[in-house]
Amino acid sequence: MENVSLSSITLPEVELLVQELYKPNTPQTISRIQEILQTLQKSPKGWQLADGLLGRPDNNVKFFGALTFTVKLNTSETLSDDDALSVIQKLISFLIAFLRDGTASFVIRKVCGTLVAYFIRYPQLWRTCVRHLSYCLESRTSIPVKEVDKFSPFQDVARALDTESYYVVTWFAQMLADEAEKVDTKSTKYLPVHEAMEVNAPDVAILLGRGIHPADAQYTRPEDSISCLEAWLKYADCRPKDEVIKPLQLLFPMVFSCLPDDELYGPAVELLTDLLDKYESFFPRECLDSLYAIFEGEWGREKLRSALSNNDMDDECRFGLFLLAATSFAYTRDRDDGRFKQLHISVFSMLGTKGYPGVDDKVFVPILEYFASRVEDLMDDLPCPPNEEMVLWVRAAIPAILPKIQYPPSSVYNSWDSTERIAFADARKDVAHYLEGVYPLIGKKLFAELEEKIRWCLTNSLWAELEAAAFCLCALADAIPEGDPCDDLLTNVFGSPLFDSLRQGRDDIPIRARKTCLCLVERYSDYFCDHPQLLPAALNLLFSAVGDRHLALPSSKSIYTLCSSCRILLTPEANAFLEQYESLRNFELDSLAEERVVGAIATIIQAIPEHVEKASAFQRLLTMIGSDVENSLQLFSYGEGTLIPPDNPIIVRTYDFAQRPTTPIPASDVSLQLAIRALRCLSSIAKGLQEPSEALIDLESDDNNTQVPKEMNLDQIHIDIINILDRLRVTFSSSSEVVDVICSILRAGFSEVEPGPFVFSPQMVTDFIIAPWLNRTATVVNTASIFVTSLSSGNAKKSVGEVLEKLLPWAFGLLHQLSEPEQDPELTQYGLEFARTVMTKRPDILMSQPANILEFLFEFAIKVLHGNEPLPKAAAADFWTKFITLKVDDQNTQAIVDNVMAYVGPKLSESLVRNIGGKALRSELDKLSEPFKKLIARHVDARHWIEAALKDPAFPGDKATASDKETFLKKVISLRGNRTTNEVVRQFWLACRGSDFAYAS
């Protein structure tokens, strides 16, 4: 094979290669054969090769011959009319021969695909392709294309086609529509294709009229004809012309007639459903009467009865979707007709089908979407009085919906796969959205019905029904207007024996019902602020559940929300909460649940008005977290090789149940996990201590005048926390998670305006940031950037100079250590963002850095623009956009800025122009256009810089001509940086890349 000579290869040798391609061979052998054959296909000999291969007896060889014809049609230069016509005659001759000699159907289908490729390439030569192909196959002769009009009416020929020929023409017609749909409908280049499709549509309708309404269904395979019709409808949807649509509409009654046929019901009902759903504009008004007749007749009534009795789930789904599509269509055309109302009733009745939504009931969600659409229509009609009848329907749907979202028994639920579980959960979410939409129409009546349902189920211990009603009540939490609370109804729920029943831990209450009821507390946390008498019962329930690993997450979430909302009411009980937490630490406690609990306690501590009492409560909480830190560091000190047995209590404290090891584990691993747990708790505490977002802030105050009593000893608290963080940084900063959490703790204090445990002094934060880190330095640099931004008010302003004096050399030193920007894209991105932040806040300090530092920074930012990493490149573009437009009051600083711009201007222009000239990704163009536009608008030398860059030998856009470049330059200079420049840049990029990249934006 290695010695094959492509110039002298013979047809038998090619045939052998094709046969080898279909035999078991090594990947290398197959790849080499493919390479040889593809080269031959694209060579000038390809036409002869295709002709010869189609004449061989082997089916695989024939298939490859047809494929070669397709390749030549798609890649060769345009043939003369005579040569092109000879190709079509030859292909049809082969097709006729294949029908005679019993060639495999996959070969015949491939030839049909080749004929379609011919039509797409030469539509002007084969305009009546369906008619011509039918005449040729019926006469078993390759008739010249120009003589097609001399023969019998096409209706006669379509009826006269034998079965095999009919199949072939149908296959061809379907492939024709499939491929024409992909052809650009807006390009004038392909206008002849679409004009020829309009010519062929009536012939296709005549052809399919025989197949869809056959005398003998087994004789003509009507399902193939229905599939072909669907393909033509899809094409018509892309190019809706009456010349195509009207002939196809004549076939719709024939499709209706196929519905009672058991063999044809499936394809017919699916086509009609798609027609009503996706192509409703094609459906003529007169066909609506046929739809009504179908559903009112015996067949429609029997199908509905069968669907409601669940005899066949697949059939139920098909019929249900068809009924729904017909009802939606009738609603838009004829909603006042009594027959529509009967369809609507039928749809409503299907809410009562058996099965679980998304699992074995595939119709529930579409029906729910139908009713949700009716709700939207009613809302759109406001403030006009809504249609009372439709309001009754959307309200009546709710009792039918509730049983559908009840969880099944555990044995059934556990038998579902992950896809089915997700589908059922999504269906429940859809119900929640529906109820939110309905509430403005029904109001408190809906809430009252659900409240009554919950109490009735509680009395009768109907836990699955109670869970569903509670879930729905949760969904309404955001729908209730602020001025119209439902507190009286909520009191009926929360003041009932519900909390007592849940707290008793009764075995007959399913876990899911408990979870949903706990979420109910969280969703209505504001209610408890207005009704504090019920707060103790709610909190007792939640804390009793947080130790249960099945209920830990929902209960802890509710604890956090409740404590955060009611923090002022709960401050007298701060010590009780601390004791409760201290008790919980002695038992198995989920890590995320613990984070939420300590965060909840922190919100209460934040609200304590007395500073000393607040400090005392915080110190007590910090001491408990500190004990975990000490245990972590002690475990780390054991050294390599020390193993901790799985029954050691520290394992229970460190790991959640699902992650708990069953064999001895290195002490260093346990140490790290315990450190992360402690840090995450500390982070949650820091966030909990933040001032509530609704707290009033004096925006006109320049100074932070809050006096903190010395007894609070805030400075020592800061030292204690920083000491914890520093010890963990030194020990564990090789862990990216440790670094991330430490930085989140630091950031928690940046937004605070009042003194607090996590509001460290600028000097303390700066010294901590510039300490050595073993991993994730990019995150630390990003934290430094956020820190600098926060130093913009009060006394912190005075520290900016001192802070930047340390941070700038540290950050630029990290960038300098990179061998190239793409060595650490994240550090590069955050480093440039940090530089831009400093440039924005204090340009005088940035520009006063030593000359070698500034030179490195600006060259680094240009080098990043040359790179391929999208996020660093975007950061560099933002950096340059800011620098190009930088104006400062200080004349000395402005002089330095101008000198730097004069030095980097040509290099920056070169980098931007190279990106715009094809190097950048299309998605990067808008971002890169910003500095480009600012450069043109702000600097008089921009034209010369850009012109030089366009003429540079290294310019990547070799497909752009000198004229393209000149036109581009004139346009962008004349636009002076306005928004239209983005489109000019995009067009120039396309010209540089070539037309292959001209896809739709």
Side-chain angles (χ1 to χ4, degrees):
M1 189 183 305
E2 295 298 328
N3 299 322
V4 169
S5 173
L6 296 180
S7 60
S8 60
I9 193 169
T10 64
L11 183 62
E13 289 174 332
V14 176
E15 183 177 7
L16 286 173
L17 285 176
V18 174
Q19 290 170 341
E20 284 296 317
L21 192 62
Y22 292 95
K23 293 179 181 178
N25 274 304
T26 64
Q28 294 81 2
T29 301
I30 292 173
S31 178
R32 177 58 181 153
I33 293 173
Q34 288 175 331
E35 181 183 348
I36 294 170
L37 292 175
Q38 287 170 4
T39 303
L40 289 170
Q41 285 178 322
K42 295 176 182 179
S43 71
K45 291 174 155 186
W47 292 110
Q48 293 174 307
L49 177 66
D51 194 359
L53 293 176
L54 273 177
R56 311 303 287 183
D58 187 295
N59 281 325
N60 289 331
V61 175
K62 288 178 181 179
F63 181 92
F64 195 83
L67 175 62
T68 304
F69 263 116
T70 303
V71 171
K72 296 305 293 182
L73 286 167
N74 288 333
T75 61
S76 67
E77 294 182 1
T78 302
L79 300 172
S80 67
D81 286 359
D82 289 342
D83 287 342
L85 287 170
S86 70
V87 170
I88 192 63
Q89 300 297 152
K90 190 170 292 187
L91 285 170
I92 293 177
S93 295
F94 277 120
L95 187 58
I96 292 169
F98 293 165
L99 287 173
R100 285 199 189 105
D101 64 20
T103 295
S105 62
F106 75 89
V107 177
I108 293 175
R109 284 180 177 271
K110 186 62 184 176
V111 175
C112 289
T114 305
L115 290 171
V116 170
Y118 179 91
F119 171 84
I120 300 296
R121 185 70 186 272
Y122 301 104
Q124 73 281 3
L125 298 179
W126 204 31
R127 281 174 65 83
T128 54
C129 57
V130 173
R131 177 173 298 217
H132 177 252
L133 181 61
S134 300
Y135 282 148
C136 291
L137 296 186
E138 192 274 332
S139 64
R140 286 293 194 262
T141 306
S142 184
I143 300 167
V145 175
K146 295 178 181 179
E147 298 181 11
V148 71
D149 294 329
K150 299 180 181 179
F151 292 86
S152 307
F154 186 62
Q155 292 92 330
D156 297 340
V157 175
R159 284 195 295 269
L161 284 170
D162 62 55
T163 306
E164 285 187 304
S165 298
Y166 181 81
Y167 294 161
V168 171
V169 182
T170 305
W171 293 342
F172 169 76
Q174 181 170 346
M175 293 179 190
L176 187 68
D178 288 338
E179 292 305 312
E181 182 193 358
K182 302 172 187 175
V183 175
D184 191 350
T185 58
K186 298 178 182 178
S187 171
T188 55
K189 175 182 177 181
Y190 295 110
L191 185 59
V193 172
H194 298 296
E195 289 176 343
M197 289 293 287
E198 294 170 19
V199 172
N200 281 278
D203 291 343
V204 170
I206 291 170
L207 180 77
L208 298 182
R210 168 189 165 181
I212 295 177
H213 190 56
D216 183 346
Q218 294 181 344
Y219 180 69
T220 52
R221 285 207 301 238
E223 61 271 17
D224 286 1
S225 299
I226 292 173
S227 297
C228 183
L229 172 58
E230 184 171 14
W232 274 81
L233 289 170
K234 287 181 181 178
Y235 169 75
D237 189 46
C238 295
R239 186 177 165 83
K241 293 281 187 177
D242 284 348
E243 291 83 355
V244 177
I245 297 170
K246 287 188 177 299
L248 301 179
Q249 287 176 329
L250 300 174
L251 301 172
F252 296 168
M254 300 179 187
V255 180
F256 287 144
S257 70
C258 294
L259 288 173
D261 189 305
D262 290 342
E263 295 296 324
L264 304 182
Y265 166 67
V269 78
E270 288 172 9
L271 174 62
L272 290 171
T273 302
D274 282 346
L275 181 62
L276 292 164
D277 263 346
K278 302 174 184 176
Y279 320 117
E280 61 178 70
S281 62
F282 299 170
F283 206 84
R285 175 65 180 80
E286 52 270 22
C287 281
L288 189 55
D289 291 331
S290 300
L291 272 179
Y292 287 140
I294 286 170
F295 290 106
E296 290 171 354
E298 180 58 34
W299 177 85
R301 294 197 301 272
E302 179 56 35
K303 279 291 181 183
L304 180 61
R305 282 194 295 270
S306 176
L308 293 176
S309 62
N310 295 96
N311 291 335
D312 184 338
M313 291 292 185
D314 290 336
D315 186 59
E316 173 203 330
C317 180
R318 280 198 295 254
F319 177 77
L321 293 177
F322 178 40
L323 171 63
L324 187 57
T327 307
S328 298
F329 178 80
Y331 175 80
T332 61
R333 302 287 185 93
D334 212 22
R335 72 183 72 174
D336 294 326
D337 192 305
R339 294 176 297 176
F340 158 72
K341 294 177 182 178
Q342 188 57 49
L343 285 182
H344 185 81
I345 293 171
S346 297
V347 169
F348 179 84
S349 69
M350 291 204 69
L351 283 173
T353 56
K354 298 176 183 177
Y356 293 97
V359 181
D360 39 22
D361 182 354
K362 306 292 186 182
V363 186
F364 176 80
V365 171
I367 292 177
L368 186 65
E369 290 172 352
Y370 167 79
F371 279 100
S373 296
R374 303 294 74 80
V375 171
E376 291 175 5
D377 293 339
L378 291 168
M379 293 299 296
D380 290 342
D381 291 341
L382 296 178
C384 298
N387 182 319
E388 290 298 330
E389 184 178 8
M390 190 56 70
V391 171
L392 289 174
W393 278 115
V394 297
R395 180 177 179 179
I398 296 171
I401 287 170
L402 281 176
K404 299 292 290 186
I405 63 169
Q406 292 178 22
Y407 271 97
S410 298
S411 58
V412 174
Y413 184 80
N414 293 336
S415 69
W416 293 349
D417 60 29
S418 59
T419 303
E420 292 170 327
R421 294 181 186 185
I422 292 171
F424 180 68
D426 288 343
R428 283 169 59 95
K429 291 176 185 176
D430 290 337
V431 169
H433 294 151
Y434 177 75
L435 294 174
E436 284 186 79
V438 167
Y439 187 85
L441 295 171
I442 302 176
K444 280 189 175 182
K445 293 179 182 178
L446 173 57
F447 204 99
E449 289 173 6
L450 292 171
E451 170 263 319
E452 186 177 348
K453 180 79 171 178
I454 289 173
R455 290 191 293 115
W456 183 80
C457 291
L458 180 64
T459 302
N460 294 279
S461 298
L462 300 174
W463 302 114
E465 293 181 39
L466 184 146
E467 190 280 334
F471 173 82
C472 294
L473 208 58
C474 285
L476 296 180
D478 294 329
I480 301 171
E482 288 188 13
D484 186 25
C486 297
D487 286 14
D488 53 335
L489 299 173
L490 282 171
T491 300
N492 292 340
V493 175
F494 295 133
S496 71
L498 178 64
F499 286 171
D500 288 337
S501 298
L502 295 171
R503 193 168 62 249
Q504 290 168 5
R506 290 166 49 180
D507 294 337
D508 62 322
I509 305 179
I511 291 294
R512 292 196 180 278
R514 297 186 188 192
K515 285 183 177 180
T516 303
C517 291
L518 295 177
C519 290
L520 197 60
V521 175
E522 185 254 332
R523 295 290 286 153
Y524 291 97
S525 57
D526 289 344
Y527 163 85
F528 292 94
C529 297
D530 298 328
H531 301 80
Q533 70 276 12
L534 293 174
L535 197 52
L539 286 168
N540 287 336
L541 168 64
L542 296 174
F543 273 101
S544 70
V546 79
D548 185 328
R549 63 172 175 267
H550 299 295
L551 302 174
L553 296 183
S555 60
S556 60
K557 184 180 179 182
S558 298
I559 288 171
Y560 186 89
T561 305
L562 204 55
C563 290
S564 180
S565 300
C566 306
R567 62 180 71 190
I568 295 176
L569 292 173
L570 295 172
T571 53
E573 304 299 325
N575 285 327
F577 278 94
L578 289 166
E579 289 170 5
Q580 182 72 57
Y581 171 56
E582 191 170 16
S583 174
L584 286 172
R585 286 170 56 87
N586 295 323
F587 302 95
E588 180 181 316
L589 185 58
D590 181 88
S591 59
L592 178 56
E594 182 175 11
E595 290 173 39
R596 291 170 174 169
V597 169
V598 295
I601 296 172
T603 65
I604 297 171
I605 294 174
Q606 183 278 327
I608 296 175
E610 295 295 328
H611 290 292
V612 176
E613 185 181 346
K614 177 186 291 189
S616 174
F618 174 77
Q619 284 281 22
R620 186 174 171 185
L621 187 58
L622 183 64
T623 299
M624 285 186 268
I625 305 301
S627 67
D628 287 334
V629 173
E630 295 300 328
N631 287 335
S632 168
L633 294 172
Q634 183 179 2
L635 284 167
F636 187 82
S637 69
Y638 289 170
E640 294 294 329
T642 304
L643 298 177
I644 306 298
D647 58 351
N648 190 309
I650 200 68
I651 296 293
V652 176
R653 176 69 195 140
T654 303
Y655 292 93
D656 292 339
F657 180 80
Q659 286 77 41
R660 199 165 297 158
T662 56
T663 58
I665 186 170
S668 57
D669 291 356
V670 181
S671 172
L672 173 61
Q673 290 304 314
L674 187 55
I676 291 172
R677 182 166 185 147
L679 282 170
R680 295 191 73 87
C681 285
L682 203 57
S683 177
S684 185
I685 292 169
K687 292 171 185 174
L689 287 172
Q690 289 176 326
E691 198 75 21
S693 57
E694 64 271 15
L696 296 175
I697 298 174
D698 185 358
L699 297 176
E700 297 184 2
S701 175
D702 286 332
D703 297 309
N704 187 344
N705 295 319
T706 302
Q707 298 296 317
V708 179
K710 291 183 180 179
E711 294 82 359
M712 189 174 181
N713 207 3
L714 197 57
D715 290 341
Q716 185 59 48
I717 290 176
H718 289 160
I719 291 172
D720 291 343
I721 295 174
I722 287 293
N723 182 50
I724 288 174
L725 298 181
D726 195 54
R727 292 169 71 195
L728 295 178
R729 174 194 62 78
V730 170
T731 309
F732 299 111
S733 67
S734 58
S735 164
S736 59
E737 189 171 0
V738 166
V739 176
D740 288 344
V741 182
I742 287 177
C743 288
S744 75
I745 293 169
L746 290 178
R747 291 195 296 268
F750 294 168
S751 60
E752 296 298 281
V753 295
E754 298 289 339
F758 291 90
V759 185
F760 308 113
S761 69
Q763 293 74 21
M764 189 175 282
V765 174
T766 303
D767 291 341
F768 188 82
I769 284 175
I770 65 175
W773 298 84
L774 300 178
N775 197 357
R776 296 283 289 166
T777 50
T779 302
V780 185
V781 173
N782 185 40
T783 301
S785 184
I786 299 170
F787 173 52
V788 171
T789 301
S790 72
L791 300 177
S792 57
S793 62
N795 292 327
K797 283 183 179 179
K798 304 172 184 177
S799 306
V800 175
E802 184 181 349
V803 166
L804 292 179
E805 184 180 340
K806 294 181 179 180
L807 289 182
L808 282 171
W810 166 77
F812 295 155
L814 291 173
L815 296 180
H816 201 276
Q817 292 172 13
L818 299 176
S819 59
E820 58 181 21
E822 295 187 1
Q823 179 188 345
D824 189 340
E826 194 175 21
L827 176 58
T828 297
Q829 174 193 345
Y830 289 139
L832 287 175
E833 289 179 0
F834 172 74
R836 181 170 60 85
T837 299
V838 177
M839 189 193 308
T840 303
K841 296 294 181 182
R842 292 296 301 269
D844 55 321
I845 295 179
L846 178 66
M847 301 311 296
S848 66
Q849 296 300 300
N852 64 321
I853 295 291
L854 290 178
E855 182 179 6
F856 163 76
L857 172 63
F858 291 109
E859 289 186 353
F860 183 85
I862 288 177
K863 192 182 292 185
V864 175
L865 284 179
H866 285 306
N868 298 315
E869 290 288 343
L871 293 179
K873 188 180 285 189
D878 290 338
F879 173 88
W880 285 114
T881 300
K882 179 62 186 176
F883 183 74
I884 292 168
T885 58
L886 187 62
K887 294 293 180 185
V888 292
D889 295 332
D890 182 74
Q891 293 183 355
N892 292 330
T893 303
Q894 188 62 52
I896 298 173
V897 171
D898 294 340
N899 289 336
V900 170
M901 194 64 230
Y903 174 74
V904 303
K907 295 181 179 179
L908 174 60
S909 300
E910 178 187 334
S911 181
L912 291 171
V913 167
R914 285 188 184 181
N915 276 289
I916 292 167
K919 186 179 186 302
L921 299 175
R922 187 187 184 102
S923 59
E924 297 171 342
L925 292 179
D926 282 340
K927 180 66 76 171
L928 292 167
S929 293
E930 292 308 307
F932 186 68
K933 291 188 294 187
K934 301 300 182 187
L935 191 68
I936 294 170
R938 299 297 181 96
H939 291 276
V940 294
D941 293 324
R943 181 190 182 98
H944 304 299
W945 295 340
I946 296 170
E947 186 175 17
L950 288 169
K951 294 179 179 179
D952 193 295
F955 180 77
D958 55 353
K959 292 183 175 62
T961 65
S963 175
D964 291 333
K965 296 177 184 179
E966 185 178 350
T967 302
F968 169 70
L969 181 61
K970 288 180 180 178
K971 284 184 177 180
V972 294
I973 295 299
S974 66
L975 288 170
R976 300 296 298 164
N978 72 24
R979 190 175 299 176
T980 313
T981 305
N982 291 50
E983 182 57 30
V984 176
V985 165
R986 189 177 294 109
Q987 293 302 322
F988 183 64
W989 180 88
L990 284 172
C992 294
R993 281 285 187 109
S995 60
D996 289 345
F997 290 86
Y999 54 85
S1001 296

